[in-house]
Amino acid sequence: MPKKLPEVVAAVDLGSNSFHMIVCTLKDGKLQIQDRIREMVRLASGLDKNDEIDAETQARALACLERFGQRVRHFPPGSVRAVGTNTLRIANNAQEFLSKAEKALNHPIDIISGIEEARLIYLGVSYSLGSDGDTRLVMDIGGGSTEYILGTGDSPCEKESLHMGCVTLSDQFFKNGKLSKSAFGQAVLFAEQQLEPFQQTFRRNKWDKAIGASGTLRAIDKVLKLKNWSHDGITLEGLEQLVAHIGHCGHINDLKLPDLNPNRLPVFPGGVAIVYATFKILGINQMVVSEGALREGLIQDLMGRIFDQDIRSATVENWAERFHTDKPHAARIKQTIAYMLPQLSNEKNPIDNDTITQFLNWAADLHEIGRDIAHSGYHKHSAYIIENGDLAGFSRQDQILLAILVRTHRRKFVRSLFAALPAPWKDLAPYLSIILRLAVLLRRNRFDADLPEFEIAIEKTKIRLTFPKNWLNESPLTHADLMQEADFLKQSGFKLDFS
């Protein structure tokens, strides 16, 4: 647990339709919501034919984050969790935008996978509704993706994220706000096609109740209630009346639905099409709506990190088990890392020592998972699995960093790989990789015997290892390994000296 807990925490959701922020006070380990801010940014509509976010949409998004930043800019590091979802997952200029967005918010922004988004949504719903022992189907419609989750209590068991959202469907089938019965039918058919492969996974006999968790679903629920089409959440009968009403209108301005936010109107038909398709395909007759969603899940996930219950550590442990790693060997490597790091501690590091230790330990735990595929080049297999797997709790940036550390832990030291990392990791990660390489090398024999006390120093491109007198002469294999390692590092501009 950190020495000093933050008094206020916040979560920011850079969605494809809206940006959301929730601010909570933290007292005696309990959360109290202090503030909620939501702005319609419609990031997904700003994607051009090259899948790049256009300048106008970027400006709108950055202006919103500047306003959010006024609220959280001075919060201490580690007290704000900000994530980007579907549009930032697919935008080719996402990294360029993120560098500006992080300056506006003054906090790091993670891009999360669709499956991780689904996990966090379920966590937010679970926190909002509590646990009653029932199995839940949770649905969340975003601007560019829709998530479906099955779970009981606070544990999701099935998660899917489909590439359809209220913005993307509205832009595709209802351009310029034009409506028709035919266009709506095509939108529903498209949504059904996306969901069809998962019909058996989420079919009606797999769950006890259906829960909606997004602004689109809350808007539909409100419209049905005020039109007297439903008084018990979202019902199939009420939806059919809403669908019939949309089919009689030629433009979104003709809808004239009570209390529907004008900003939501352009994306409303696409959202209704997704909900109607879901009810039909999965056999849903009634769905209740939850206030909890992604941002509440982010807060709960952040609390886990603050109170040393980081799900990422549990994920690493599960994956190490799944891929049959040599756990005693990983423990020896982590022990060696723990011996070296205090000698290399630097107060000027832009990343705190706890985070550095965390990533190095995760890399030690997972560096050999590729052996389950093939022994030859296993470090490359390990890196591929880590970068492309669904690792609960990890952002895309987390996974890329971890994958590069694992990819470069042996053999050729490909320094150019680190250029893909965001600052400050691209400058710091090569040194972390060298620490991991040396720890693995010194523990190559996989013996439990303690290493001798040795000294390590790193100054820019110079690495110095000093062992007790005659130890290297008595350890010819380690001496040979260090000679080879010096050659590998030399090719990337580093000099390794040892004696």
Side-chain angles (χ1 to χ4, degrees):
M1 185 182 299
K3 293 180 181 178
K4 184 178 180 181
L5 298 177
E7 296 179 357
V8 187
V9 294
V12 181
D13 164 17
L14 281 67
S16 298
N17 188 37
S18 305
F19 285 6
H20 298 260
M21 183 168 72
I22 181 172
V23 181
C24 303
T25 56
L26 178 59
K27 189 173 183 181
D28 299 326
K30 296 181 179 179
L31 288 169
Q32 180 69 45
I33 295 175
Q34 189 179 70
D35 204 0
R36 289 180 185 270
I37 305 174
R38 170 183 170 276
E39 290 195 24
M40 192 78 73
V41 174
R42 211 153 290 145
L43 204 62
S45 290
L47 282 176
D48 62 21
K49 62 181 180 180
N50 297 316
D51 278 341
E52 293 193 346
I53 306 170
D54 64 39
E56 182 182 347
T57 304
Q58 285 196 49
R60 190 164 63 241
L62 293 171
C64 171
L65 292 174
E66 285 280 0
R67 290 187 284 274
F68 283 11
Q70 291 175 21
R71 185 71 175 81
V72 299
R73 183 169 291 120
H74 302 296
F75 284 21
S79 63
V80 176
R81 183 89 200 279
V83 301
T85 57
N86 186 71
T87 299
L88 291 174
R89 286 195 285 270
I90 64 177
N92 289 324
N93 60 342
Q95 196 55 54
E96 172 196 328
F97 169 75
L98 280 182
S99 63
K100 294 180 282 189
E102 289 179 338
K103 288 179 182 177
L105 193 63
N106 200 37
H107 291 280
I109 300 170
D110 293 327
I111 299 177
I112 55 174
S113 70
I115 297 299
E116 175 63 6
E117 184 178 355
R119 183 189 73 85
L120 290 166
I121 288 165
Y122 186 86
L123 193 61
V125 170
S126 177
Y127 170 72
S128 176
L129 297 181
S131 178
D132 56 9
D134 286 341
T135 300
R136 301 159 167 161
L137 167 68
V138 174
M139 174 188 187
D140 185 291
I141 302 174
S145 66
T146 297
E147 282 67 45
Y148 298 90
I149 313 102
L150 279 183
T152 304
D154 58 1
S155 302
C157 59
E158 297 284 352
K159 306 180 289 289
E160 288 296 341
S161 178
L162 306 187
H163 295 293
M164 59 180 183
C166 61
V167 175
T168 54
L169 251 70
S170 295
D171 287 347
Q172 183 176 350
F173 294 99
F174 311 110
K175 291 180 180 179
N176 301 316
K178 293 180 180 179
L179 299 175
S180 71
K181 195 170 183 178
S182 173
F184 191 85
Q186 290 174 4
V188 171
L189 181 61
F190 175 86
E192 289 176 329
Q193 287 176 312
Q194 305 309 303
L195 188 52
E196 184 181 17
F198 310 100
Q199 186 174 10
Q200 294 304 308
T201 302
F202 298 108
R203 65 184 186 272
R204 179 63 188 88
N205 63 347
K206 295 289 187 73
W207 43 268
D208 301 305
K209 61 175 66 170
I211 300 167
S214 66
T216 293
L217 287 156
R218 284 192 291 273
I220 292 173
D221 180 47
K222 190 174 184 179
V223 166
L224 295 184
K225 194 174 294 182
L226 292 174
K227 291 288 284 186
N228 291 316
W229 289 337
S230 174
H231 297 285
D232 190 20
I234 301 173
T235 62
L236 180 58
E237 183 181 352
L239 266 179
E240 287 175 338
Q241 289 178 274
L242 176 57
V243 168
H245 176 70
I246 292 173
H248 287 112
C249 297
H251 193 274
I252 56 172
N253 293 333
D254 301 330
L255 288 173
K256 294 182 171 53
L257 295 169
D259 279 4
L260 182 63
N261 188 325
N263 289 328
R264 186 170 293 282
L265 190 58
V267 301
F268 188 71
V272 174
I274 293 171
V275 177
Y276 188 50
T278 299
F279 269 58
K280 290 172 65 181
I281 285 284
L282 300 185
I284 303 172
N285 289 312
Q286 190 255 352
M287 175 182 282
V288 297
V289 177
S290 164
E291 286 299 318
L294 176 58
R295 49 212 166 273
E296 287 77 15
L298 284 169
I299 286 286
Q300 292 304 306
D301 198 63
L302 177 60
M303 294 297 290
R305 297 185 182 191
I306 290 170
F307 286 98
D308 287 343
Q309 295 173 347
D310 193 331
I311 190 174
R312 292 177 296 179
S313 294
T315 297
V316 168
E317 185 177 344
N318 290 338
W319 277 57
E321 187 81 31
R322 174 180 175 182
F323 287 95
H324 314 104
T325 61
D326 184 344
K327 291 185 178 180
H329 180 52
R332 289 187 288 267
I333 293 171
K334 289 191 286 187
Q335 183 184 45
T336 306
I337 290 170
Y339 178 79
M340 290 192 286
L341 280 178
Q343 299 183 57
L344 301 168
S345 61
N346 183 352
E347 293 182 359
K348 294 181 180 179
N349 276 342
I351 305 295
D352 65 90
N353 288 331
D354 287 343
T355 300
I356 288 171
T357 302
Q358 201 173 33
F359 273 96
L360 281 172
N361 284 343
W362 290 335
D365 282 326
L366 298 181
H367 76 287
E368 290 188 328
I369 61 174
R371 285 179 177 266
D372 238 26
I373 297 173
H375 280 63
S376 177
Y378 73 84
H379 56 302
K380 298 177 184 178
H381 302 310
S382 299
Y384 181 87
I385 294 167
I386 292 167
E387 183 173 346
N388 295 282
D390 291 323
L391 275 68
F394 284 85
S395 68
R396 177 182 289 181
Q397 294 100 315
D398 287 343
Q399 290 185 225
I400 292 174
L401 170 61
L402 192 55
I404 290 175
L405 291 178
V406 168
R407 170 67 177 79
T408 58
H409 89 270
R410 68 189 289 265
R411 308 300 296 170
K412 187 177 180 181
F413 190 65
V414 187
R415 197 169 181 180
S416 60
L417 291 174
F418 299 99
L421 296 172
W425 285 113
K426 64 181 176 183
D427 297 320
L428 182 60
Y431 296 100
L432 301 194
S433 177
I434 290 171
I435 293 168
L436 178 63
R437 290 173 72 93
L438 294 174
V440 170
L441 183 153
L442 292 172
R443 290 297 188 175
R444 186 176 177 184
N445 61 17
R446 297 177 186 259
F447 290 165
D448 281 329
D450 290 335
L451 289 170
E453 292 185 2
F454 65 92
E455 295 178 1
I456 181 171
I458 300 178
E459 182 65 32
K460 295 184 178 178
T461 59
K462 295 180 180 179
I463 306 115
R464 177 71 187 171
L465 286 171
T466 306
F467 297 96
K469 188 176 181 181
N470 293 325
W471 185 80
L472 281 177
N473 292 332
E474 297 166 0
S475 309
L477 289 178
T478 301
H479 186 273
D481 287 340
L482 286 169
M483 292 282 289
Q484 186 180 56
E485 180 65 13
D487 286 339
F488 284 135
L489 293 177
K490 184 179 180 180
Q491 295 172 31
S492 290
F494 287 94
K495 183 180 181 183
L496 172 61
D497 290 324
F498 51 89
S499 60

